[in-house]
Amino acid sequence: MRMRSLLVIVLAAGEGTRMLSAQPKVLHKVAGRAMVSHVLDAALAAGASRLAVVVGPDHQAVAEEVRRSAPGAAIFVQSERRGTAHAVLAAREALAEGHDDVVIMYGDTPLVRGETVLALRAPLASGAAVAVLGFRPENPAGYGRLVTREGELLAIREEKEASLEERAIGLCNAGLMAFDGRAVLGLIDAIGDANSRREFYLTDAVEIARAQGRVAGIVEAPVEEVAGVNSRVQLSEAEAILQARLRRRALEGGATLVAPDTVFFSADTRLGRDVVVEPNVVFGAGVSVEAGATIRAFSHVEGAHVGAGAIVGPFARLRPGANLGEGVHVGNFVEIKAAELSPGVKVNHLSYVGDSSVGANTNIGAGTITCNYDGFRKHRTVIGANAFIGTNSLLVAPVSVGDGAYIGTGSIITEDVPADALAIARARQVNKPGWAVRLRERLAAGLTPKK
Ligand code: UD1
Ligand code: MG
C-alpha cells in the first residue's frame, strides 16, 4: 500500500500571557528543549512529510528556533490572533498542496509522542473526515468537551459555549486533530466566529463534518501525554513528567541510575550501556556518554562527550566542547571547557582546562589552570602526550607543552616547553638558618622585627 502523505501544522502564535514572560510561550524549555521543538520532534516521528508552523507577527525568535530544530518546516505568520481555525488558515498554502492527512498540533503541548500522532491518523485511513484526540483530565475546566452519542463523536463544545449538562462531560479535547486532506479546507473555511469570544474555533469542524454526513473519530490518550502548558506551574509539571520518561528510557537502555529521581536529563542525552550515574547529576543539552563510563555524584555535564570507561566527578563540571577520550579521569572540582582530553588523561583535582588539547596519558596535577582569556580573546593551550603538569601550575595561553615534558610544581608557564624538557618557572627557595630564633628574641625584647 502507498504511504499516506502527512502535513503537520503546529500552532504557535499564542501570546502565553499566563506565563508572565518576556519570551514567547512555546520557547520555554522542557528537558532543555523548547516546547515547540518537542512538538516538531513528535510530528517527524509520526512520519510527517511536510511541516508547517504558524507563528505570531512578532515571534521572530520562534521562527528561528523552528529553523534550527526542523530546517525544512514552512513558517507562516498569523497577523491577528482570531482563534485556532483562523491560525490553521494562515497555513492555507500548505493545506492546498494536497496532502492525504493533515494533523494540527499545539505548540504548547510538548509531551505528545509520535506514536500517538500516528494512532490519531488511523480513523482517517478508514474513512473519517476528522479525528480528535480525547483525554480525561482530573479537572476538565477550560477544555473543550467531546459530545458523543453511543461512542460516536457529535461535536466539541468549548467550555464557554457549553451547557451545564455538557460541562459535566469528563472526556475532553486534547487539542490534536487529524483531517482528511481532501476535506480539510472545505471544513475549516466553513467555520464562523458566532460564539462568545468572536473567535474561529477549529473545534467547530467536527459538527460541520457531521452535517456533511461524514464521520468524526475519537482516539483516547493518557493525561500525562497531552497536558498543555499555560503557566509556570504547568511548565514544571510537564518537566516532571518528561524527566520521569527520560529516566525510564536511560534505565531501559542499559544504564544504572543509583537514584533516578535525582538525575536530570535533557531530551537529547545519550547514555551507553553500563554507564553508571550516581545521585544528583544534571545533564544539559548535547551530552553523550559512552559505554561503561561513570558520572559520579553532583556533576554538571553540558555539550560534552564522555568516552568509554571514563570517570567524571564527583563535583565535576563539563562545559560545551569538553571531549573526553576513553578512560579519562576528571575528578572533583574540575572544570573542562572546549577541550580535547585524549585517552588516559587524568585531571583529578581542582583544575580548569579550557580551549585546550591534551595528549594521551598526560597527568594534570591539582590546581592547574589554563589562563585562556586576556580580556578580549580566548587562546589555546596545547599539551602533548605523556606530559606531567606539576601541581598548582598556570599555563598562560597561547602556549604549548611538548610530549613527555615536565612542568615543575607551582610554575607560571608563559613560553612553549619543548618535548621531554623540564620547565620550572618559580622563584628559587632561600633558607636563612637561625632567622626565626633571632626574630623571637627581638620580639621578646620589645623591639620591632628587622626589615
Ligand atoms: C483549545 C481547544 C480546546 C482544547 C484545548 C486543549 C479550540 C477552539 N479549543 O483551547 O477544545 O480542549 O485547546 O488544550 O481550539 N493559537 C494560535 N492562534 C490563535 C489562537 C490560538 O496560534 O489565534 C494557538 C495557541 O498558541 C496554542 C493553540 O493554538 O498553541 C491553542 O490555543 P489556546 O488559546 O491555548 O486554546 P484553548 O483555549 O486552550
Ligand atoms: Mg491552551
Side-chain angles (χ1 to χ4, degrees):
M1 208 184 81
R2 190 181 69 86
M3 288 267 289
R4 298 169 63 88
S5 68
L6 170 65
L7 163 68
V8 175
I9 302 178
V10 178
L11 304 189
E15 277 148 12
T17 32
R18 280 171 285 172
M19 297 295 282
L20 306 179
S21 174
Q23 188 174 228
K25 175 163 78 174
V26 298
L27 290 185
H28 284 264
K29 288 181 176 171
V30 187
R33 193 157 171 77
M35 288 199 275
V36 68
S37 296
H38 281 284
V39 176
L40 291 165
D41 291 346
L44 289 169
S49 41
R50 182 97 166 107
L51 284 177
V53 182
V54 178
V55 303
D58 48 1
H59 284 182
Q60 198 49 40
V62 177
E64 274 162 31
E65 171 68 18
V66 169
R67 277 189 213 106
R68 264 196 303 274
S69 49
I75 293 166
F76 297 94
V77 178
Q78 183 193 20
S79 36
E80 239 187 315
R81 213 171 169 280
R82 302 221 41 212
T84 42
H86 184 262
V88 173
L89 287 177
R92 180 185 291 277
E93 233 173 80
L95 286 166
E97 287 162 359
H99 301 273
D100 296 319
D101 296 351
V102 175
V103 168
I104 312 298
M105 298 177 78
Y106 293 166
D108 65 354
T109 311
L111 303 174
V112 178
R113 295 173 198 257
E115 56 250 49
T116 301
V117 179
L118 261 183
L120 189 64
R121 297 172 67 187
L124 305 180
S126 44
V130 49
V132 176
L133 196 67
F135 76 123
R136 297 177 189 275
E138 228 166 86
N139 173 14
Y143 291 106
R145 310 298 206 282
L146 302 189
V147 182
T148 58
R149 191 176 56 218
E150 288 159 15
E152 244 184 83
L153 180 61
L154 303 181
I156 305 176
R157 195 73 69 225
E158 288 309 299
E159 177 155 284
K160 285 225 163 116
E161 328 297 327
S163 65
L164 270 181
E165 221 173 53
E166 286 167 337
R167 283 188 192 199
I169 298 172
L171 186 58
C172 294
N173 173 24
L176 253 74
M177 292 175 78
F179 289 89
D180 169 2
R182 278 156 307 176
V184 63
L185 264 178
L187 292 174
I188 298 180
D189 271 331
I191 293 171
D193 65 352
N195 53 55
S196 60
R197 277 151 75 179
R198 310 278 326 164
E199 277 190 10
F200 296 87
Y201 291 158
L202 179 62
T203 44
D204 285 350
V206 169
E207 259 178 318
I208 295 169
R210 297 279 308 180
Q212 292 177 1
R214 300 283 310 259
V215 173
I218 305 175
V219 172
E220 267 195 59
V223 179
E224 66 275 7
E225 207 176 316
V226 295
V229 173
N230 297 307
S231 65
R232 307 268 182 169
V233 171
Q234 288 173 334
L235 184 70
S236 71
E237 288 164 355
E239 181 76 40
I241 292 167
L242 195 51
Q243 288 300 335
R245 227 189 251 178
L246 293 170
R247 287 167 192 145
R248 210 185 165 84
R249 186 173 85 183
L251 295 166
E252 287 172 355
T256 293
L257 309 182
V258 176
D261 289 349
T262 69
V263 177
F264 293 84
F265 288 105
S266 281
D268 63 353
T269 307
R270 286 193 318 174
L271 304 185
R273 291 210 173 169
D274 294 313
V275 164
V276 175
V277 182
E278 292 186 353
N280 296 299
V281 169
V282 175
F283 291 99
V287 174
S288 57
V289 182
E290 303 293 337
T294 299
I295 311 294
R296 303 200 58 196
F298 295 98
S299 293
H300 191 283
V301 184
E302 183 181 11
H305 172 258
V306 177
I311 301 174
V312 174
F315 297 98
R317 179 169 185 208
L318 302 186
R319 290 173 52 203
N323 187 0
L324 279 49
E326 203 174 324
V328 163
H329 291 186
V330 168
N332 41 269
F333 310 109
V334 170
E335 174 179 343
I336 310 284
K337 186 216 76 171
E340 191 92 23
L341 307 190
S342 302
V345 165
K346 293 194 174 69
V347 197
N348 274 329
H349 333 267
L350 300 158
S351 290
Y352 171 63
V353 179
D355 298 304
S356 303
S357 73
V358 183
N361 300 314
T362 283
N363 187 89
I364 295 187
T368 298
I369 307 287
T370 55
C371 311
N372 59 334
Y373 189 47
D374 60 14
F376 293 92
R377 281 167 306 161
K378 299 283 170 66
H379 301 282
R380 288 191 66 75
T381 301
V382 178
I383 304 172
N386 300 305
F388 183 95
I389 313 296
T391 299
N392 202 33
S393 294
L394 305 181
L395 304 171
V396 183
V399 75
S400 72
V401 176
D403 290 347
Y406 267 67
I407 304 296
T409 289
S411 290
I412 300 176
I413 300 297
T414 54
E415 286 166 34
D416 291 351
V417 179
D420 296 320
L422 166 67
I424 307 179
R426 62 178 188 233
R428 261 188 190 284
Q429 181 169 331
V430 178
N431 289 343
K432 298 188 174 178
W435 181 91
V437 175
R438 292 193 295 279
L439 171 75
R440 282 191 291 269
E441 282 169 0
R442 283 187 68 87
L443 292 174
L447 301 168
T448 52
K450 263 191 175 158
K451 285 270 161 71

